[in-house]
Amino acid sequence: MAAPRSNVEEIRDRVILGEFGVRNVHTTDFPGNYAGYDDTWNRKKFEENFRIDVVRMDENTLEFDMVGIDAAIANAFRRILLAEVPTMAIEKVFVYNNTSIVQDEILAHRLGLIPIKADPRLFEYRNAGDEEGTDIDTIQLQLKIKCTRNPRASKDSSDPSELYINHMVYSRDIKWTPLGNQADLFAEAGIGPVHGDILIAQLRPGQELDIVMHCVKGVGKDHAKFSPVATASYRLLPEITLLQPVEGELAEKLKRCFSPGVIEIESAGGKKFAKVANSRLDTCSREVFRHDDLKNIVKLGRVRNHFICTSSLLPSCGSQH
């Protein structure tokens, strides 16, 4: 006997969160699985249903919704963000002088992971085996710094910040040295490390660093330093349904079961009623199922084809949003 249409729609479109488990986890809308449903893939239908909505975007974070796709496609987008979006990163490190306690190899590794502010679309990939970069495929940076004693420091001081000059080497000490006509082309680009407060090494009087670095264009599947995102994740859109009116103290109790902003209390006719304000903010903790007087009046689910995608971006790639 065929299941009722409403139940079929729920199985196809919703993941249901129960007190002791999660139902409808697997995708079932493949051709021939449901009588009366045409689930064959159709390009025109896909184009009509698929959309991307940018919810929030700033220098460090991008949040967007992908609607009308399967989890496999959403995961493909996530992997593309991690591994196939090009950026600029330090690839070659030429150490002319390093008298610090940090070994050359460790220092080169630390430098390579510093995010660089540069638009990779303005550069070409460097040819394999090409040791000498050009102005179309290379950004040259230099770090030249020496630690000295501060002649004005108090004799009784034990604070290194007062005793020494340049004893902390930060990413802001890295300077861009233009190649060719880069000074004219990228005069306003502000090429260099994104953050100036990244600690590279600590020095003591007499120690110094003299390093030249070459930044090249690359992708995350070759090395993690080229990945434009620190994290890339997605989750299904939560859906909360109140099966009956919830009022009074029970409404306040219901509100406390969810993340702030999910449930709001509104007054009508001198009574307080609970309403779902923004289910998107729910973390799906299922706290409500711990209370016998609430668990049968709330239904929790997730929309199967609505993905909330969040990427913590390295600001060096901000121009590629």
Side-chain angles (χ1 to χ4, degrees), residues 18-38:
E19 183 178 1
F20 300 108
V22 182
R23 305 195 309 272
N24 309 339
V25 176
H26 302 290
T27 301
T28 58
D29 55 347
F30 48 85
N33 192 40
Y34 295 102
Y37 289 88
D38 181 13

Side-chain angles (χ1 to χ4, degrees), residues 155-192:
K155 295 182 179 180
D156 299 328
S157 176
S158 60
D159 183 5
S161 299
E162 185 178 351
L163 291 173
Y164 313 127
I165 299 175
N166 294 330
H167 78 291
M168 303 283 277
V169 183
Y170 290 99
S171 53
R172 58 173 169 265
D173 298 313
I174 297 176
K175 306 301 179 184
W176 172 45
T177 55
L179 300 175
N181 63 345
Q182 288 182 348
D184 298 327
L185 293 176
F186 311 126
E188 300 179 0
I191 293 177

Side-chain angles (χ1 to χ4, degrees), residues 32-71:
N33 192 40
Y34 295 102
Y37 289 88
D38 181 13
D39 288 319
T40 55
W41 192 84
N42 181 279
R43 177 177 175 179
K44 183 178 180 181
K45 182 179 178 182
F46 173 79
E47 291 176 350
E48 291 175 353
N49 295 332
F50 177 62
R51 74 176 194 270
I52 295 179
D53 301 323
V54 177
V55 177
R56 178 168 55 93
M57 181 173 64
D58 54 36
E59 290 185 354
N60 299 320
T61 306
L62 173 64
E63 182 179 334
F64 61 96
D65 290 1
M66 288 194 294
V67 184
I69 59 173
D70 189 73

Side-chain angles (χ1 to χ4, degrees), residues 102-142:
V102 183
Q103 297 93 333
D104 293 352
E105 296 81 3
I106 301 299
L107 189 60
H109 183 264
R110 291 178 65 83
L111 292 170
L113 295 176
I114 296 175
I116 303 301
K117 182 182 179 182
D119 190 344
R121 295 172 294 185
L122 304 177
F123 296 87
E124 302 293 335
Y125 287 99
R126 182 186 284 193
N127 295 326
D130 187 1
E131 295 294 331
E132 296 295 329
T134 65
D135 58 346
I136 65 172
D137 60 22
T138 302
I139 296 173
Q140 182 169 292
L141 304 172
Q142 186 176 26

